Amino acid sequence: MIKIAPSILAADFWQLGAQVKAAEEAGVDRFHIDVMDGRFVPNISLGLPIVEAMRRGTSLPLELHLMILEPERYVEAFMQAGADIVIVHQEATPHLHRTVQMIKQRDKRVGVGLNPSTPVNTLEDIIEALDVLLVMTVNPGF
């Protein structure tokens, strides 16, 4: 089954509301929101205010891709802001299992992202707990 999750990072933020509505009308399944902190990746992108605005503007699931160091410090705030699916990077947290469980305990879907050079077998002990596995084809932030 194919699911379409357009990234709002590609949107014209001046027209974000209209573009969200157009994507809904086109039949997308959910929205992908890339959050970058300027530390785990060199770029800085979207944050809590955009997630809150998206939640007010759509009933479709919001999939957050947290390309941030220590995501466990922020996942609660992003879930409260409206995230339905939270993807954290295996390389960004020393306590991946704890972070995954924190998200699952809130009845949210959880995923893990892997950088291109990270072996998939690093997830052997946690793969069964995941709803999403995001294998990056480029280094995060580019």
Side-chain angles (χ1 to χ4, degrees):
M1 178 183 334
I2 295 173
K3 297 284 185 180
I4 299 174
S7 172
I8 68 160
L9 198 55
D12 174 352
F13 290 107
W14 186 254
Q15 301 295 324
L16 183 58
Q19 290 183 340
V20 165
K21 293 297 178 203
E24 287 178 332
E25 291 170 6
V28 303
D29 298 291
R30 62 181 179 250
F31 289 100
H32 182 89
I33 304 172
D34 290 304
V35 177
M36 297 180 256
D37 65 359
R39 294 174 57 220
F40 181 65
V41 299
N43 307 4
I44 296 174
S45 71
L46 314 171
L48 288 168
I50 295 293
V51 176
E52 291 168 344
M54 289 285 298
R55 180 71 299 145
R56 286 191 313 269
T58 184
S59 61
L60 290 178
L62 300 181
E63 173 183 273
L64 265 69
H65 179 196
L66 300 181
M67 291 178 272
I68 63 176
L69 286 179
E70 302 175 279
E72 61 276 7
R73 295 177 57 202
Y74 305 97
V75 293
E76 183 66 33
F78 279 108
M79 290 186 295
Q80 286 180 5
D84 299 295
I85 305 163
V86 180
I87 301 169
V88 299
H89 271 262
Q90 184 272 344
E91 306 88 353
T93 178
H95 304 289
L96 182 60
H97 186 266
R98 183 184 309 157
T99 304
V100 166
Q101 291 307 312
M102 179 189 324
I103 297 165
K104 294 285 251 186
Q105 287 171 354
R106 289 283 312 274
D107 293 325
K108 303 292 183 176
R109 294 179 61 205
V110 65
V112 169
L114 290 178
N115 292 352
S117 63
T118 303
V120 176
N121 68 356
T122 62
L123 300 177
E124 283 179 8
D125 294 337
I126 199 164
I127 194 86
E128 294 298 322
L130 303 180
D131 300 298
V132 175
L133 175 59
L134 175 61
V135 179
M136 300 291 291
T137 58
V138 298
N139 286 312
F142 293 98

